Amino acid sequence: MAIQSSKPRDEQNNDSESSYSNFPPMDVSIAFPQATPASIFPPCTSDYYHFADLLTPEEQALRLRVRACVEKEIAPIMTKYWEKAEFPFEVVPKLGALNIAGGTIKGYGCPGFSVTANALATAEIARVDASCSTFILVHSSLAMLTISLCGSETQKQKYLPSLAKLDTIACWGLTEPDYGSDASGLRTTATKVEGGWVIEGQKRWIGNSTFADILVIFAKNKNTNQINGFIVKKNSQGLKATKIENKIGLRMVQNGDILLEKVFVPDEDRLPGVNSFQDTSKVLAVSRVMVAWQPIGITMGVYDMCHRYLLERKQFGAPLAAFQINQQKLVQMLANIQAMFLIGWRLCKLYESGKMTPGQASLGKSWITLRARETVALGRELLGGNGIISDFLVAKAFGDLEPIYTYEGTYDINTLVTGREITGIASFKPVIKKPQISRL
């Protein structure tokens, strides 16, 4: 029979605490001195087949410039912000100074990159931190590109220059609580009124939305029943954006729930080039290629981290790199990256030549993300216990890949896009049998 203490409960709790229970955690470099954490980012070692030879001097220079910036500015702080699920606003001016926002857009203060150069910049940021890569991708390859492709000349001149400098930030709102993969069926509505439009509805999973200055929102025109696009300004009456909590991946990205309650948008902020859901495909064709390059960058970073770790970490009197099974896993990771890079590079060239089809983009995104999951899982095995803490990158990358595997079309949906293209048969909607009616 247990004997109950006569001490008050607060005193019992105090007795159970040690004198050091409230000490701050030990710095990882002191707690585990045998390997270098990701805050000091490893050199790039994944270009085994010298793919740099495929790049123009301008593309190579851009790649190295972005790499140097993110290794210096983002790597030392990313774990802290990722663990707190907060966005590092302090790096926005540094990213703005790179002049990469706007990507392929020509003019209006945008860099006018080739698709290949834009993809390389995306991958280099993702190599160090996928959340910051997603921040730029949403802002640049979705919101800015929509204004560039579907906006009026006045809208381009008004919005793009400040967005290109990252003086203002944008988000892109298509997905809704009830419509994810089936995005064309969205319920948010736009009603024509004198001088503008009234938007009513709800959006979900919208990156950058909690702090964006402008929100590109898609809604169904109640007169035509077609999808239209609108530029909604921050703090518009009836607009609310709240952060989605408890994510396991891309934790620094501020995904939000957007509520639009009779939000008025003036006529000059309706995007004239969005008159049906098909008009969004012009944007998604580019952004899907960019998203395919995010896991390429992530796996490059994971490989670099594992390569250094295996040479530094010793067990049984030898570095982990000396063990056959570890070499086999490392080589498998390296081989995956070579194949992923080649598919990503070929997608860029197909797009630049005007030959890329939706099925090719979907196959690239789905296959690359599948291989990336396998590659990062191998890296997690190689790091042992350190593979489950974010200080050594791999655990963070393991979580960050999961949303990328899903957004811009899930693996399954992208597979069906390719399947439709090669067979001529669409299989998105299941065949629902009608109930049999008795002859009696």
Side-chain angles (χ1 to χ4, degrees):
M1 178 178 174
I3 300 174
Q4 297 294 325
S5 172
S6 60
K7 291 183 179 181
R9 184 173 296 275
D10 288 345
E11 291 185 27
Q12 293 181 49
N13 290 338
N14 288 336
D15 287 346
S16 67
E17 291 184 358
S18 65
S19 60
Y20 44 80
S21 59
N22 292 320
F23 282 14
M26 190 180 295
D27 185 274
V28 68
S29 60
I30 299 172
F32 191 79
Q34 204 179 69
T36 310
S39 57
I40 303 171
F41 215 78
C44 185
T45 55
S46 63
D47 190 8
Y48 192 63
Y49 280 175
H50 303 287
F51 294 133
D53 294 347
L54 300 174
L55 310 179
T56 65
E58 294 77 16
E59 290 166 348
Q60 181 69 349
L62 172 67
R63 187 186 198 187
L64 296 176
R65 182 160 55 88
V66 174
R67 181 181 298 171
C69 175
V70 293
E71 286 183 356
K72 177 184 176 183
E73 305 293 346
I74 297 177
I77 63 172
M78 61 183 176
T79 300
K80 176 182 71 173
Y81 281 99
W82 194 87
E83 289 291 348
K84 295 194 297 183
E86 295 176 358
F87 185 76
F89 290 102
E90 65 197 79
V91 306
V92 173
K94 309 289 176 56
L95 293 172
L98 284 173
N99 192 30
I100 57 174
T104 57
I105 301 170
K106 292 179 172 60
Y108 312 101
C110 299
F113 292 146
S114 66
V115 169
T116 303
N118 199 30
L120 291 167
T122 299
E124 284 300 328
I125 301 174
R127 174 176 166 265
V128 173
D129 181 72
S131 292
C132 287
S133 174
T134 298
F135 160 73
I136 286 289
L137 190 148
V138 169
H139 172 85
S140 181
S141 296
L142 286 173
M144 288 184 70
L145 194 60
T146 299
I147 295 172
S148 173
L149 294 176
C150 304
S152 66
E153 183 60 29
T154 300
Q155 289 168 339
K156 295 174 192 177
Q157 292 181 6
K158 180 179 179 181
Y159 293 111
L160 290 178
S162 64
L163 292 169
K165 296 176 183 176
L166 293 181
D167 290 340
T168 52
I169 304 300
C171 71
W172 198 80
L174 178 64
T175 300
E176 297 185 356
D178 292 338
Y179 293 91
S181 296
D182 187 15
S184 62
L186 53 83
R187 289 182 180 174
T188 298
T189 60
T191 305
K192 187 70 182 79
V193 296
E194 184 177 354
W197 301 78
V198 173
I199 313 296
E200 294 186 84
Q202 192 173 343
K203 300 293 179 178
R204 184 161 171 81
W205 293 114
I206 310 305
N208 304 350
S209 60
T210 60
F211 57 84
D213 299 289
I214 66 169
L215 302 84
V216 175
I217 297 293
F218 297 90
K220 188 168 289 186
N221 186 321
K222 292 185 78 172
N223 292 330
T224 65
N225 209 36
Q226 293 293 329
I227 303 301
N228 290 168
F230 302 87
I231 298 172
V232 179
K233 297 190 179 69
K234 179 173 68 174
N235 296 327
S236 296
Q237 186 174 351
L239 172 67
K240 184 188 295 182
T242 55
K243 177 183 173 182
I244 297 175
E245 299 280 5
N246 306 320
K247 297 185 302 173
I248 68 163
L250 296 180
R251 288 175 55 77
M252 288 154 60
V253 176
Q254 304 299 289
N255 294 97
D257 286 305
I258 298 176
L259 192 61
L260 302 115
E261 296 180 314
K262 297 183 178 179
V263 175
F264 177 77
V265 178
D267 282 326
E268 59 262 29
D269 283 334
R270 181 194 178 279
L271 292 162
V274 183
N275 297 296
S276 71
F277 184 74
Q278 292 303 314
D279 291 319
T280 66
S281 63
K282 295 180 289 187
V283 178
L284 292 172
V286 179
S287 66
R288 191 158 287 169
V289 174
M290 295 304 109
V291 169
W293 276 85
Q294 284 189 289
I296 295 173
I298 290 170
T299 52
M300 287 166 58
V302 168
Y303 175 84
D304 294 338
M305 191 70 210
C306 291
H307 182 266
R308 181 175 71 182
Y309 186 92
L310 294 185
L311 291 171
E312 292 180 338
R313 171 71 161 150
K314 293 181 174 63
Q315 289 290 279
F316 304 102
L320 293 182
F323 294 88
Q324 290 181 352
I325 194 166
N326 291 340
Q327 289 192 9
Q328 187 273 328
K329 290 176 181 178
L330 197 65
V331 169
Q332 187 174 345
M333 293 169 67
L334 183 64
N336 282 351
I337 293 169
Q338 309 313 294
M340 291 159 61
F341 190 101
L342 275 178
I343 288 183
W345 181 82
R346 184 58 183 154
L347 270 181
C348 291
K349 296 307 172 187
L350 287 169
Y351 184 91
E352 290 169 357
S353 65
K355 297 177 182 178
M356 189 189 77
T357 66
Q360 289 170 337
S362 289
L363 178 60
K365 193 268 179 178
S366 60
W367 188 86
I368 287 171
T369 51
L370 185 68
R371 290 282 77 79
R373 285 174 111 200
E374 174 187 87
T375 305
V376 174
L378 288 168
R380 184 263 167 276
E381 293 177 15
L382 287 174
L383 263 63
N386 285 322
I388 67 164
I389 58 174
S390 53
D391 300 275
F392 290 92
L393 184 72
V394 177
K396 186 169 82 71
F398 199 93
D400 287 342
L401 261 176
E402 289 308 291
I404 296 173
Y405 184 70
T406 297
Y407 69 45
E408 284 287 339
T410 66
Y411 175 83
D412 300 301
I413 288 295
N414 275 310
T415 299
L416 295 181
V417 171
T418 308
R420 176 182 61 189
E421 193 167 280
I422 63 176
T423 66
I425 302 171
S427 59
F428 295 94
K429 295 182 179 180
V431 178
I432 301 174
K433 293 183 179 179
K434 294 181 180 180
Q436 294 283 339
I437 299 175
S438 172
R439 293 181 179 181
L440 296 177

